[in-house]
Amino acid sequence: MKRAKRNHSTLDLTTDEIISVRDVTVQFGSKKVLDGLNLDIHRGEILGFIGPSGAGKSVLMRTILGLNKKVSGHIKILGQDIDEISDNEKVEIDMRMGVLFQHGALFSALNVLENIQVPMREYLDLSPKLMDELARLKISLVGLEADTAEKYPSELSGGMIKRAALARALALDPHIVFLDEPTSGLDPIGAADFDLLIEDLRDTMGLTVYMVTHDLDSLYAVCDRIAVLGHKKVMVEGTIEDMLKFDDPWVQSYFRGKRARQIVPHKRHPEPEIKETAE
Ligand SMILES: Nc1ncnc2c1ncn2[C@@H]1O[C@H](COP(=O)(O)OP(=O)(O)OP(=O)(O)O)[C@@H](O)[C@H]1O
């Protein structure tokens, strides 16, 4: 079991800058995926992270989580440079970050209750009764019926799997959650409900949310800020209005393309349409 000695913490739990990525380069063999990338994630925001397929969105997320090595640059989480922290601080940082991987990634041999308890068993020393109570609280927090606790992943719908995986990501009451395409595979109503759940959790728990997404509806519905990955860097960040003004073929195609026109309110498109470009 990994346990942090919380009384020696040097993390800045009140900082506004939850994550700061500076000049980060990531390379696999001779292939550079990220090159001098900068990004800040602020407390309490829902950041939508977008970019063309294969641009490196998951690589950046995995690098922040410490699952990929970077060639150079610095990443600070809660004020601490992740290359300069002790093992104890590393455990503490891991506990502050919840992750929802793209396909839910629940353990198929464990029921929902047991899945949610995996991080609790790994990081906390709690009685089985308390773990059961906490896991059931998380199940209710993400809007699942109480009897979902005893169900196995194969018995759940896609939307329920996402919610159960979110409950597991929230098991340790993290400061930030990373969501990798949370609405992919959900029908439009399920996706909209999931967006609302994320917003609700941010408002009630003060969560910071880093959401990798392709879903324009999510960007409009819940994201406070958008960052676009392109040319191995964050090429633009800001509001939807900032995106609409940004002169890049992919960004323009994404925000003003056919799909965008179906969901974007007319008043958000004061300028004339521009010709679409291939993604
Ligand atoms: N462990 C790895 N080893 C080698 N190459 C990798 C590794 N992980 C990612 N890549 C490469 O890095 C590039 C970026 O991949 P990544 O999965 O981050 O893209 P993405 O922007 O998340 O794409 P998508 O939107 O399709 O999920 C791809 O070319 C991928 O093949």
Side-chain angles (χ1 to χ4, degrees):
M1 185 172 64
K2 301 170 187 171
R3 291 192 66 189
K5 299 176 195 119
R6 284 167 183 252
N7 48 340
H8 297 305
S9 173
T10 55
L11 302 183
D12 183 355
L13 300 179
T14 59
T15 182
D16 177 57
E17 203 175 77
I18 298 265
I19 291 179
S20 147
V21 178
R22 286 289 171 276
D23 211 16
V24 161
T25 296
V26 176
Q27 184 163 339
F28 299 105
S30 59
K31 184 180 174 184
K32 222 177 239 186
V33 177
L34 306 177
D35 188 8
L37 182 144
N38 294 303
L39 179 69
D40 289 322
I41 305 170
H42 308 296
R43 177 176 297 278
E45 75 173 343
I46 302 179
L47 176 76
F49 198 66
I50 64 169
S53 206
K57 300 180 295 296
S58 300
V59 166
L60 177 62
M61 187 175 116
R62 291 176 61 81
T63 307
I64 294 172
L65 290 168
L67 302 172
N68 272 344
K69 281 196 176 145
K70 54 188 167 51
V71 178
S72 58
H74 295 276
I75 296 175
K76 278 189 182 175
I77 300 176
L78 295 165
Q80 288 295 311
D81 188 319
I82 58 169
D83 293 328
E84 293 170 9
I85 53 177
S86 63
D87 289 347
N88 186 54
E89 285 163 335
K90 167 99 182 65
V91 172
E92 214 193 324
I93 281 179
D94 286 347
M95 291 172 68
R96 307 283 176 186
M97 301 194 292
V99 189
L100 170 58
F101 287 105
Q102 195 171 345
H103 301 292
L106 294 174
F107 296 107
S108 57
L110 304 181
N111 67 24
V112 170
L113 193 84
E114 292 161 342
N115 261 288
I116 297 169
Q117 290 174 345
V118 169
M120 296 180 186
R121 288 182 202 284
E122 193 174 354
Y123 289 98
L124 305 173
D125 188 12
L126 303 175
S127 69
K129 184 168 177 286
L130 186 52
M131 277 199 298
D132 280 357
E133 281 170 17
L134 288 174
R136 287 183 196 283
L137 269 177
K138 303 296 174 196
I139 286 170
S140 132
L141 191 67
V142 298
L144 287 171
E145 299 288 336
D147 66 358
T148 315
E150 280 73 36
K151 294 199 165 127
Y152 286 83
S154 59
E155 300 173 278
L156 305 179
S157 69
M160 290 165 86
I161 288 180
K162 298 271 186 189
R163 282 172 192 257
L166 181 62
R168 190 178 61 186
L170 298 174
L172 304 178
D173 295 325
H175 282 225
I176 177 163
V177 282
F178 293 83
L179 310 175
D180 196 356
E181 301 199 22
T183 57
S184 75
L186 300 184
D187 65 57
I189 295 170
D193 284 348
F194 200 86
D195 282 340
L196 288 177
L197 172 63
I198 299 295
E199 190 174 38
D200 197 32
L201 291 172
R202 187 274 304 272
D203 293 344
T204 53
M205 298 173 67
L207 267 181
T208 303
V209 180
Y210 176 98
M211 186 193 295
V212 174
T213 185
H214 285 286
D215 190 339
L216 252 177
D217 288 301
S218 299
L219 297 179
Y220 273 94
V222 292
C223 291
D224 302 302
R225 205 159 61 91
I226 298 163
V228 184
L229 185 59
H231 311 295
K232 306 183 173 64
K233 289 181 167 57
V234 172
M235 62 175 169
V236 57
E237 52 185 290
T239 61
I240 298 258
E241 280 69 25
D242 295 326
M243 303 299 125
L244 290 169
K245 283 186 227 147
F246 189 70
D247 184 16
D248 170 84
W250 188 86
V251 176
Q252 287 296 319
S253 177
Y254 186 89
F255 284 96
R256 292 184 185 276
K258 240 183 244 152
R259 279 185 57 236
R261 284 198 292 276
Q262 284 163 11
I263 61 169
V264 177
H266 183 65
K267 64 183 166 126
R268 288 193 190 265
H269 281 280
E271 296 105 61
E273 283 171 10
I274 64 151
K275 196 164 177 282
E276 278 174 47
T277 53
E279 287 188 18

